[in-house]
Amino acid sequence: MNLGKVIITADVTIRETLKKIDQSAEKVLIVVDEQKRLVGTITDGDIRRAILKGKNINSKINDIYNPHPFFLREQEYSKEQARSIMLAKRIELIPVVDNIDHLVNYVTWDQILSDQEPQAPHFEKIDLPVVIMAGGKGTRLEPFTRLFPKALVPISETTVLEAIINQFRKFGIEKYFITLNFKGEMIESYLKSVEKSYSVDYVWEKDFLGTAGSLKLLEKLIKGNFIVSNCDILIRADFEDAVKFHEKEQAALTIISSIRHYKIPYGVIKFKKGGKVINIVEKPEYTFPVNAGVYIVNSNVLKYIPEAQPFDMNQFISILLKNDERVFTYPVNENDYLDLGEWEEYKRATEKLNLLK
């Protein structure tokens, strides 16, 4: 057991913690002191709530981690007890300590289920439809998309479209709308040929309507909140929590965002007018949320989308903001966002999925 990959101290920054969560492939880190005694745990949810409250990404985690985590004593540990706590409290990692609170081990959900049928912690059913925007040409994935639509690009023994649906199926979602245009007949024919336990309605664009324009075609088909997903990304988010957040904030639209880390591989020069250098920052690193291409939308705001003309999601968001509609963001970790829309990112996403098997 590699303790080093899941332990962290309270004096590190949110930025460093996010990076470690991404590297560890766990959604929980264990906070310890200098003597490796357990002092708490921190999850991606703790960080998300702190960021949404305005916490700076360079702030330390000393006031946002959970100082009262569930834990097990080494001498009393049993797999049955761990499983019972995880199911009851819906947690994915439990620290194991000795009789003076030194961290000696930890147990994860995957370890608990290693001798059972694979399954995931229980999620409440989300009774919302999902709209998957599959009408684009997928030019970033040429030459594949000269022959096939990007929704049918293979990914980890399935197609991109089915992988997206499978993520939502974990939350019990049974109703899907697929917007179609480019090579849409192939998508419809393929989905009709596979066995499935969910319903699909196909919504056809007569012309290319951009990344939001085809939502207008759903104005009379959907009432209330619904989820929208591009068909070239895969998000491993807690959609149950995201929907609750959207509903609590009475949002018109919630943007699922990914917290991305970018490191400039050069020294960045800062200078005054006239060229006088004042500083050189060597290989600076920046962290900021980016639009992940998944949204929770209230059907009331579809009135802002024009009829039968190209209209992109950034235009939709801009017009909502101009009309003082409530637009929020729900951030997820960088590792929970897989971009399948261009070849280099597609290859990296495939490698990530293989590691997670």
Side-chain angles (χ1 to χ4, degrees), residues 162 165 169 173-176 191 194 196-200:
E162 290 169 291
I165 291 173
R169 291 289 295 143
I173 297 177
E174 298 177 349
K175 181 65 176 176
Y176 298 85
L191 276 182
V194 299
K196 52 188 176 293
S197 57
Y198 52 87
S199 69
V200 178

Side-chain angles (χ1 to χ4, degrees), residues 248-291:
K248 174 178 174 289
E249 299 298 341
Q250 297 181 319
L253 182 143
T254 296
I255 307 165
I256 307 297
S257 57
S258 170
I259 299 172
R260 305 301 296 269
H261 310 285
Y262 292 95
K263 187 170 184 178
I264 307 298
Y266 311 104
V268 175
I269 300 170
K270 296 186 176 181
F271 60 93
K272 294 181 178 179
K273 185 177 181 180
K276 180 175 173 58
V277 174
I278 57 174
N279 193 17
I280 296 181
V281 181
E282 187 62 30
K283 298 180 180 178
E285 187 171 341
Y286 301 96
T287 301
F288 44 82
V290 301
N291 185 347

Side-chain angles (χ1 to χ4, degrees), residues 9 194 196 207 217 236 281 300 328:
T9 55
V194 299
K196 52 188 176 293
D207 300 297
L217 303 173
R236 298 196 310 272
V281 181
N300 289 336
F328 286 77

Side-chain angles (χ1 to χ4, degrees), residues 300-330:
N300 289 336
V301 296
L302 297 181
K303 63 187 178 184
Y304 294 108
I305 300 177
E307 294 271 4
Q309 66 182 65
F311 195 68
D312 285 333
M313 190 58 77
N314 63 323
Q315 294 174 282
F316 187 30
I317 294 169
S318 293
I319 200 169
L320 292 179
L321 293 173
K322 286 177 183 177
N323 283 275
D324 294 323
E325 297 286 358
R326 293 172 65 79
V327 178
F328 286 77
T329 187
Y330 181 92

Side-chain angles (χ1 to χ4, degrees), residues 39-75:
V39 297
T41 57
I42 187 164
T43 68
D44 57 344
D46 295 325
I47 294 174
R48 176 167 48 252
R49 286 185 287 273
I51 291 172
L52 290 173
K53 289 178 180 177
K55 199 79 171 176
N56 188 287
I57 200 81
N58 293 310
S59 301
K60 297 187 185 303
I61 65 167
N62 55 359
D63 60 348
I64 67 171
Y65 72 83
N66 173 21
H68 305 292
F70 290 96
F71 64 90
L72 295 169
R73 294 285 179 193
E74 181 181 27
Q75 62 270 29

Side-chain angles (χ1 to χ4, degrees), residues 149-338:
K150 64 181 177 181
L152 299 185
V153 170
I155 181 83
S156 189
E157 302 179 1
T158 186
T159 64
V160 169
L161 180 57
E162 290 169 291
I164 292 169
I165 291 173
N166 288 340
Q167 286 296 315
F168 289 117
R169 291 289 295 143
K170 293 177 183 177
F171 297 88
I173 297 177
E174 298 177 349
K175 181 65 176 176
Y176 298 85
F177 293 89
I178 315 291
T179 66
L180 300 173
N181 190 323
F182 179 73
K183 298 188 184 297
E185 296 86 355
M186 295 179 69
I187 298 172
E188 183 175 359
S189 176
Y190 177 82
L191 276 182
K192 286 182 175 179
S193 72
V194 299
E195 185 177 342
K196 52 188 176 293
S197 57
Y198 52 87
S199 69
V200 178
D201 286 338
Y202 304 96
V203 180
W204 285 87
E205 301 175 341
K206 292 181 179 179
D207 300 297
F208 288 105
L209 297 178
T211 54
S214 61
L215 293 179
K216 189 69 173 180
L217 303 173
L218 294 157
E219 195 169 16
K220 295 180 180 179
L221 300 176
I222 296 178
K223 297 300 178 185
N225 293 320
F226 62 99
I227 299 170
V228 178
S229 175
N230 290 348
C231 78
D232 54 7
I233 53 91
L234 195 60
I235 298 288
R236 298 196 310 272
D238 183 348
F239 283 101
E240 178 190 340
D241 188 60
V243 169
K244 286 180 179 177
F245 171 79
H246 174 84
E247 292 173 343
K248 174 178 174 289
E249 299 298 341
Q250 297 181 319
L253 182 143
T254 296
I255 307 165
I256 307 297
S257 57
S258 170
I259 299 172
R260 305 301 296 269
H261 310 285
Y262 292 95
K263 187 170 184 178
I264 307 298
Y266 311 104
V268 175
I269 300 170
K270 296 186 176 181
F271 60 93
K272 294 181 178 179
K273 185 177 181 180
K276 180 175 173 58
V277 174
I278 57 174
N279 193 17
I280 296 181
V281 181
E282 187 62 30
K283 298 180 180 178
E285 187 171 341
Y286 301 96
T287 301
F288 44 82
V290 301
N291 185 347
V294 176
Y295 313 88
I296 306 169
V297 184
N298 189 282
S299 62
N300 289 336
V301 296
L302 297 181
K303 63 187 178 184
Y304 294 108
I305 300 177
E307 294 271 4
Q309 66 182 65
F311 195 68
D312 285 333
M313 190 58 77
N314 63 323
Q315 294 174 282
F316 187 30
I317 294 169
S318 293
I319 200 169
L320 292 179
L321 293 173
K322 286 177 183 177
N323 283 275
D324 294 323
E325 297 286 358
R326 293 172 65 79
V327 178
F328 286 77
T329 187
Y330 181 92
V332 301
N333 290 355
E334 183 171 12
N335 238 19
D336 291 329
Y337 167 62
L338 303 180

